[in-house]
Amino acid sequence: DGGITQSPKYLFRKEGQNVTLSCEQNLNHDAMYWYRQDPGQGLRLIYYSQIVNDFQKGDIAEGYSVSREKKESFPLTVTSAQKNPTAFYLCASSRENTEAFFGQGTRLTVV
Amino acid sequence: AQRVTQPEKLLSVFKGAPVELKCNYSYSGSPELFWYVQYSRQRLQLLLRHISRESIKGFTADLNKGETSFHLKKPFAQEEDSAMYYCALSSPGTYKYIFGTGTRLKVLA
């Protein structure tokens, strides 16, 4: 069953801790993306990767880090430097200039 | 700078009324434009893209390069159209997608 999978669905983090969100795709897409979705602000691009071992900052990269060691995987780490990490995070993948496929999302809450 | 603007956060219409969700963009060149939809408790998914010029679920969108707009239209709204709609832009030759802030459509019975 092809698709894009994010885990976990819900994540709780204590202040000052780093946490990693998982994103895996088996669609053989070159590009992968991380977006943050906040009410009234739409989807804001955090990082994207066009190819393995390469990634670019989006509009709100501060406090986040990523890696792209495998084509299928693009994990996002929310670091303690991110001032307002509580949000809904969406991962997506695509081929060039074609439809982006989205995961179900991870809701991160800082407690 | 590349930007997608959706001026309406919320649009409420009665069932059977026409719907127009506005989208304006700024981009120096010829972008690819998309509309995505997110129904309640479902993942974000593609509704349509300008290059295919097809009608999906009765929705159409025409690219107006002069006005830099890509408004989404449907002549008769249905209750099942209630959802969050996002306009998006992609730069040819890159993989970068830029999304608007979204418009929540509520179709009232």
Side-chain angles (χ1 to χ4, degrees):
Chain A
D1 188 23
I4 181 162
T5 303
Q6 290 185 241
S7 62
K9 193 171 180 180
Y10 299 97
L11 189 57
F12 295 88
R13 187 196 91 176
K14 291 183 180 179
E15 282 195 36
Q17 285 182 338
N18 293 353
V19 65
T20 298
L21 283 60
S22 170
C23 180
E24 304 275 333
Q25 55 100 359
N26 60 5
L27 300 167
N28 200 32
H29 286 167
D30 291 318
M32 295 187 75
Y33 313 80
W34 275 105
Y35 291 91
R36 173 175 168 144
Q37 189 177 30
D38 295 287
Q41 298 198 57
L43 274 69
R44 292 183 291 166
L45 183 63
I46 304 172
Y47 270 98
Y48 67 107
S49 168
Q50 298 180 186
I51 197 169
V52 173
N53 292 323
D54 188 45
F55 47 83
Q56 283 77 42
K57 291 182 179 180
D59 299 318
I60 56 165
E62 185 176 349
Y64 299 97
S65 66
V66 293
S67 63
R68 187 87 186 277
E69 297 177 1
K70 298 187 299 182
K71 189 174 187 177
E72 302 79 19
S73 179
F74 191 42
L76 173 75
T77 297
V78 184
T79 75
S80 56
Q82 169 49 235
K83 291 183 171 55
N84 186 21
T86 294
F88 191 63
Y89 291 89
L90 283 171
C91 180
S93 70
S94 78
R95 293 195 178 95
E96 183 182 349
N97 292 137
T98 63
E99 174 184 359
F101 288 80
F102 284 83
Q104 291 276 34
T106 294
R107 185 166 298 281
L108 173 65
T109 303
V110 173
V111 296
Chain B
Q2 300 166 9
R3 184 176 296 166
V4 175
T5 302
Q6 293 179 252
E8 303 137 330
K9 286 190 177 179
L10 173 64
L11 184 64
S12 296
V13 301
F14 284 102
K15 179 181 172 182
V19 172
E20 183 179 53
L21 300 168
K22 290 184 168 46
C23 172
N24 289 88
Y25 66 91
S26 63
Y27 182 82
S28 55
S30 296
E32 294 276 344
L33 285 153
F34 306 81
W35 276 99
Y36 284 82
V37 60
Q38 191 172 30
Y39 300 103
S40 179
R41 302 187 187 281
Q42 294 187 30
R43 66 180 71 198
L44 197 62
Q45 59 188 285
L46 179 71
L47 180 62
L48 55 81
R49 55 186 299 193
H50 89 273
I51 199 168
S52 62
R53 301 186 64 81
E54 51 186 348
S55 172
I56 305 292
K57 299 186 177 183
F59 285 98
T60 58
D62 289 320
L63 177 60
N64 186 322
K65 290 186 179 180
E67 295 182 359
T68 60
S69 68
F70 188 55
H71 303 327
L72 183 68
K73 299 178 184 179
K74 185 169 183 177
F76 307 104
Q78 306 295 320
E79 288 182 75
E80 55 265 31
D81 295 329
S82 295
M84 194 74 178
Y85 292 81
Y86 290 95
C87 183
L89 172 157
S90 174
S91 309
T94 78
Y95 291 81
K96 191 175 180 182
Y97 284 88
I98 304 294
F99 283 81
T101 51
T103 298
R104 180 166 298 283
L105 174 65
K106 285 191 177 180
V107 181
L108 308 170

